[in-house]
Amino acid sequence: MNKSDTVILTEAEGNVKRAQILFVSCLVSDDLNSRLLEKVSNILLIFFLILTSINLSAQDYRIDDDRTILGFYADYVFANHKTDFVSVPDCYCFPDNFTKADGSGFAFGLLYQYPLPYSLALSWRLGYSQYTADFGRQTFDGRVQGQLIPGLKSEAVMNADFGRVEFNSHLSYNPFGGFNILFGGGIGVSVYAEYDYSETTTLNGDQIRKTDSTGILTAAVAYPSVYGGIAYDIPVYWQTTRTWIVSPEIHYSIGANELFRGMTWQMNTLRAGIAVKNKIEKNKPQNEIKQVYNFDTLTVEREDVKDSYIISGQPLISSNEQHIGTKILTTEIIDRTDTLFVPAKLIADFVCDIAQISIKSQVVTEAFPLLTNLFFNDHSSGLSSNYNIVSSDQSFSTSSIEANSKTLHSNVLNIIGERMLQYPDSKILISGYADLTTENGDCRLAANRAGSVKEYLKSVWRIDSDRLNIASRETDCAPLHSTQTTDERGFAENRRVEIKTLFKKLTAPVIKKNFLENSDLSLKPLRIDMTASRISKDCRAELLLIQNDRLLYREKISTGGNIIEMKLPETVTDRIRSGHTLNLILRLSDSEGRISLDTAKILIESVSSVNEIERLSLILFKVGSSEIPAAGRRDIEAFLSETGLSPKIRVMGFTDILGTRGSNKKLAQARAEKTAALIKEIKPDVEIISIDAPASEEFIKGIYSFDSPAERFLSRTVQLEIVK
């Protein structure tokens, strides 16, 4: 222990001794029995040991602020009763006077403390207390009419129990630390008072009478008392605002009159307990500071800036004060001008060397096969977004659909629904499938897919359920003719529903007659001059080709040069329509999110041709097969029966992209040759102009990619062109 610790300990011991002297002086009474003094000594020892340890570590703490306090208290009570009576109401007692009793009890309630100057505080308490009185066991010689009877003995036992509501008030003084000296008084009003009395009388050791009695004691109107004590306030939070306080406390009170009417009975008590207090924060008037920011930004464009940055200006601060009652409102005004440096503004400005395009058109009549397979997303039974979902049968007509295979397939359910309304005796069989590899041939999933197709035809096209039959299987619900390609393209083709019918008109090809098709679009590469454009270092540029609000083509271009040539692929030129302006757009953007656009308009002129072509892609081959299915043979026979004498036919074989280039070429050639042989067999006078095998190197009309399962299925075909 160092010197400072010794000084602290000496001061703490002195505080304890002063408190002990003060407290013991309150307890001096000739009538206190030895048991009560022993209890008091033990409590004082524990209490002052706690206070000593607390005082050593927190002697700078004082309850010296001006905040009022609310809280509650709870005490354990030691009671000392001084009595002098020979009987109680409703009880005949003939022993000597009852002169003393010990007891215990408890007390609890609410408290309010108001601070005063000079480390003083005034407190009020309202609570409830309960006490007991144990008079013990008394033995005495028996008398009859005042005469002592030899051998006659009496033994009496008496206990009392009573409770009351108490109101106390005391003044406390805080001389140092958290130590407080208390002195005050109170008054109690009885709530109840009961006693138990038992007396046993014996003659020469033999019991001759036993009396048990209970009753109610008549309490005085009020019972005043004075008390003194000590307490120590311990803040719960040492490093914060310390709004909560825990206070161990000891009080000794002395009764000022009789407890019960007609009886000499006074009570002194020793209380030991704890009080929990909370300081009530006051709404003190405070000065309020308000800040007003006036920021201005000057923007500077510079070509050497890649990413925008800002330089803060020097703030100018001024203030003014406004007195509102007792409050002072201070307003600080902060003016600052910042400079924002940004990349130079993008300017898209270009010239295209082509202002007009001439398109030769030909009249086409084409028969499109109806692919009655519907494809689903992985582990999904809902209709894919690739299919056109209409709200009612009144909002659809096959005649208004654009003439290409992909658009027709996206409306396959609507075409079948429309035809089933036209042919009320027709029925279909719906078979659902799941991929064996990715979906384990899940039959429940397959059935749900078939159910989605049935529900659409039933709810939108109002087809009766008995005309929509679902093929059910309990195991191995993968397609019978599944795609064997072991990647996502093959897996996607096996997640499907197949629709079959004996009513051939439901799945007959869709005939589109006498529509115009581009036959020759001699379009040289577009030459784009961007010399007049302003382009930043991180600029991104792209060219977009739009017609009738439809994006036909998009290409990212380099910003390294001023002159760019762009050659449009054939898939784009086929989709350009005559009579409508073609918009060529240059779009510039940078990392700042800024965008600049410039548009050049190209006029599309139509030049008519005398050519008329009939085209059909009636055969849809199974994957990897060149065998012509029976349905394909019937469609070709029906188509050739309507041609004139000695027609000229061009035969072209196609495949999807799943195989190798060599195998696809060989498969496409076999499909074309077998189809040409079938045509000659059906109509010998046909002149086969050519037999070609573009395979997967070219798309059939209306197909522009192999991305979706439907596009790959539709590409497994032979296309016939009859030139007139």
Side-chain angles (χ1 to χ4, degrees), residues 358-366 403 512-521 570 574 576-578 605-615 650 652 701 719-724:
S358 297
I359 297 178
K360 288 184 179 181
S361 302
Q362 59 188 6
V363 179
V364 178
T365 296
E366 185 166 357
K512 290 288 185 178
K513 296 183 178 181
N514 301 325
F515 63 90
L516 290 178
E517 180 182 86
N518 297 342
S519 62
D520 184 16
L521 178 60
E570 184 180 348
D574 284 347
I576 295 176
R577 296 292 176 259
S578 60
E605 180 187 25
S606 177
V607 179
S608 299
S609 171
V610 296
N611 290 341
E612 283 189 39
I613 291 180
E614 291 186 15
R615 183 187 300 124
R650 183 183 295 114
M652 292 173 287
K701 293 292 182 179
Q719 197 166 74
L720 307 179
E721 287 188 357
I722 300 175
V723 182
K724 296 183 180 179

Side-chain angles (χ1 to χ4, degrees), residues 614 645-650 685-689 721-724:
E614 291 186 15
L645 297 174
S646 304
K648 298 178 180 180
I649 298 179
R650 183 183 295 114
D685 62 337
V686 168
E687 180 183 350
I688 304 296
I689 299 175
E721 287 188 357
I722 300 175
V723 182
K724 296 183 180 179

Side-chain angles (χ1 to χ4, degrees), residues 608-655:
S608 299
S609 171
V610 296
N611 290 341
E612 283 189 39
I613 291 180
E614 291 186 15
R615 183 187 300 124
L616 67 156
S617 303
L618 299 180
I619 306 174
L620 293 179
F621 292 87
K622 295 178 181 178
V623 59
S625 173
S626 62
E627 297 300 320
I628 300 174
R633 182 184 181 96
R634 288 194 302 270
D635 291 339
I636 290 178
E637 288 176 348
F639 185 79
L640 292 176
S641 65
E642 298 180 3
T643 61
L645 297 174
S646 304
K648 298 178 180 180
I649 298 179
R650 183 183 295 114
V651 182
M652 292 173 287
F654 294 87
T655 66

Side-chain angles (χ1 to χ4, degrees), residues 289-300:
I289 299 177
K290 178 182 178 182
Q291 292 182 323
V292 177
Y293 295 91
N294 296 325
F295 288 174
D296 190 17
T297 302
L298 177 64
T299 302
V300 177

Side-chain angles (χ1 to χ4, degrees), residues 224-254:
S225 62
V226 294
Y227 64 90
I230 56 175
Y232 200 94
D233 292 331
I234 305 171
V236 175
Y237 302 108
W238 295 93
Q239 303 300 327
T240 61
T241 58
R242 308 179 185 180
T243 58
W244 286 93
I245 301 168
V246 176
S247 298
E249 57 186 16
I250 295 178
H251 302 160
Y252 185 77
S253 67
I254 301 173

Side-chain angles (χ1 to χ4, degrees), residues 457-477:
L457 293 172
K458 179 182 174 182
S459 60
V460 175
W461 288 95
R462 298 176 288 111
I463 308 300
D464 293 338
S465 295
D466 57 0
R467 298 174 60 196
L468 307 171
N469 300 310
I470 294 179
S472 61
R473 297 169 64 181
E474 296 183 357
T475 58
D476 189 16
C477 289

Side-chain angles (χ1 to χ4, degrees), residues 165-229:
V165 175
E166 296 180 334
F167 175 77
N168 300 319
S169 177
H170 67 252
L171 186 68
S172 62
Y173 174 62
N174 176 220
F176 57 87
F179 185 77
N180 292 276
I181 301 171
L182 317 176
F183 181 78
I187 190 168
V189 177
S190 178
V191 176
Y192 77 96
E194 299 175 346
Y195 72 88
D196 294 319
Y197 178 80
S198 178
E199 181 182 317
T200 303
T201 302
T202 60
L203 181 60
N204 298 324
D206 297 327
Q207 179 176 318
I208 62 173
R209 187 181 69 170
K210 181 175 176 58
T211 302
D212 293 317
S213 177
T214 61
I216 298 176
L217 299 170
T218 303
V221 175
Y223 185 76
S225 62
V226 294
Y227 64 90

Side-chain angles (χ1 to χ4, degrees), residues 403-424:
N404 68 68
S405 299
K406 187 175 180 181
T407 303
L408 286 167
H409 178 70
S410 68
N411 286 279
V412 60
L413 280 180
N414 298 320
I415 294 171
I416 291 176
E418 185 180 55
R419 290 177 176 180
M420 292 189 77
L421 290 181
Q422 294 174 359
Y423 306 107

